[in-house]
Amino acid sequence: MLDAGGQSYGAYASAVIAVTPQLDADLGIRRDQQRYRPGFRDSQWSPRLGLEYRPRADTTLRLSWGHLSQPERPDELQVTDGDTGFHAVQTATQAVGALEQRLSNDVFMRVEAFDKRMSNVRPAYENLLDPVTLLPEIEVDRVRVAPLSSRAYGSELTIRWEPRRTWSAWLSYSWSEVTDRFEDSRALRTWDQRHSAVTGASWTQGPWQLSGNLIWHNGWRQNSLAVAAASGGGAQLVLSPRNAEAWSDYFSFDARASWQRALPLGSLQVFLELSNVTDHANPCCTEYRLVVPGDATSLEGERSTWLPRYGLVGVTWFLP
């Protein structure tokens, strides 16, 4: 039986300095300590620097840099995968630059670019072929992924239309890449999506609100099995290089309707949500089997998809 626990301490200080009427500097530093059992003791400094420059009333430029630490908590130990020890604290150095521009009274635009470099990356466990399964820890395609370092970088454009009346709308597009580096190779992260876009609109009238979202992105990475000739003759199963392939693009239209009424104590909201309204088939997984036991050439694969169209009805009571 594993007895894991202990104490974690943290302190944070920050200061905002008005360098000029148009330029502000945000300085921050954080100190963390962990004292966990069994046998884990560590501490980290996490500095941060941010600059905000406003050349005009409708334009803001932001630059930020920070060194972040992410220790593992006792409740995050992946004991179901047999991983019972604390890992080195994961660290990341991140730089972000952003331009915020008000194009009109009703239209706001934001352009952002980021670069995040991670070290001491915490190992993760994944199911290579079928990530959507009831008990992933007992499947044969479960593997430990332990990169030496990782890097995520990209950019995003967001435009919002908010006329402060009945309608509002939004559009967001991003380009990004997330890569893991191993001893002898590099591979895209499983959930890497090079291009993605989200657009939607909302209508509000009295107690009613209707909204809809269109979500699209490149398919996540895919692993597959293939049949290849064995060195001694015959055939053998071969796993493709990690995340070398990709699923087809993902698409979903989601809708939501809600009605809200004030009560003597708080308010009551009734809502209906529909996900994947068009019932679009988004492939995610492959289940393989040998039609003839022991015969690699009889390999067959059956693909499955993410969730089909489904609905959710709920009631929320908001207390003051």
Side-chain angles (χ1 to χ4, degrees):
M1 180 178 178
L2 176 66
D3 180 18
Q7 296 80 39
S8 176
Y9 310 95
Y12 180 81
S14 66
V16 178
I17 303 172
V19 182
T20 70
Q22 292 80 31
L23 177 64
D24 292 338
D26 184 356
L27 307 176
I29 192 166
R30 182 182 177 95
R31 175 69 171 178
D32 290 282
Q33 290 187 341
Q34 301 83 38
R35 300 293 183 264
Y36 297 148
R37 61 178 187 275
F40 182 83
R41 299 171 64 89
D42 204 346
S43 58
Q44 309 87 38
W45 288 101
S46 301
R48 185 193 72 188
L49 169 63
L51 297 174
E52 180 181 300
Y53 177 57
R54 301 173 298 278
R56 298 192 302 269
D58 57 359
T59 304
T60 302
L61 294 171
R62 302 180 191 274
L63 293 174
S64 64
W65 174 92
H67 183 75
L68 314 174
S69 302
Q70 186 176 6
E72 190 174 19
R73 302 192 311 266
D75 62 295
E76 293 178 320
L77 290 177
Q78 294 179 280
V79 293
T80 54
D81 286 297
D83 205 341
T84 58
F86 289 97
H87 301 96
V89 175
Q90 179 172 292
T91 60
T93 301
Q94 179 172 299
V96 181
L99 166 64
E100 298 177 356
Q101 180 70 50
R102 184 161 292 281
L103 303 178
S104 69
N105 290 334
D106 301 334
V107 181
F108 173 83
M109 179 186 73
R110 178 183 174 91
V111 181
E112 182 177 281
F114 68 92
D115 184 15
K116 183 176 183 180
R117 302 174 185 240
M118 294 156 276
S119 57
N120 294 330
V121 181
R122 186 186 308 169
Y125 292 84
E126 297 180 1
N127 290 68
L128 294 178
L129 305 174
D130 189 1
V132 184
T133 182
L134 184 61
L135 296 173
E137 296 83 6
I138 66 174
E139 297 296 330
V140 296
D141 62 338
R142 188 78 166 171
V143 297
R144 185 176 187 263
V145 182
L148 301 177
S149 63
S150 301
R151 183 186 180 191
Y153 61 94
S155 58
E156 183 175 17
L157 167 66
T158 302
I159 298 176
R160 298 190 66 87
W161 175 58
E162 297 176 334
R164 299 180 181 86
R165 294 189 293 271
T166 302
W167 289 94
S168 64
W170 53 91
L171 170 65
S172 176
Y173 165 78
S174 65
W175 177 94
S176 63
E177 183 175 286
V178 187
T179 306
D180 292 326
R181 182 177 69 86
F182 302 90
E183 287 188 0
D184 55 356
S185 64
R186 294 177 182 267
L188 292 172
R189 187 72 63 88
T190 300
W191 43 263
D192 176 86
Q193 50 190 44
R194 186 66 53 87
H195 303 279
S196 64
V198 178
T199 185
S202 175
W203 174 85
T204 303
Q205 185 69 50
W208 290 95
Q209 184 180 61
L210 305 177
S211 62
N213 258 351
L214 282 172
I215 303 172
W216 169 87
H217 61 72
N218 289 145
W220 288 357
R221 307 312 298 176
Q222 176 188 5
N223 299 285
S224 62
L225 285 177
V227 179
S231 57
Q236 63 179 352
L237 296 179
V238 177
L239 181 67
S240 64
R242 174 172 171 75
N243 292 342
E245 306 168 34
W247 294 104
S248 58
D249 292 355
Y250 178 94
F251 173 82
S252 180
F253 172 59
D254 304 331
R256 189 178 194 273
S258 66
W259 176 86
Q260 188 164 326
R261 180 175 180 177
L263 298 176
L265 182 62
S267 62
L268 184 71
Q269 183 187 78
V270 181
F271 64 88
L272 167 65
E273 295 180 353
L274 290 177
S275 295
N276 195 10
V277 175
T278 62
D279 202 23
H280 187 77
N282 294 300
C284 71
C285 326
T286 304
E287 183 176 347
Y288 289 95
R289 67 186 182 95
L290 296 177
V291 178
V292 179
D295 182 4
T297 61
S298 68
L299 179 70
E300 287 187 354
E302 181 179 353
R303 291 189 173 183
S304 55
T305 64
W306 295 106
L307 290 173
R309 177 176 54 239
Y310 68 93
L312 175 66
V313 178
V315 178
T316 305
W317 181 16
F318 297 98
L319 296 176

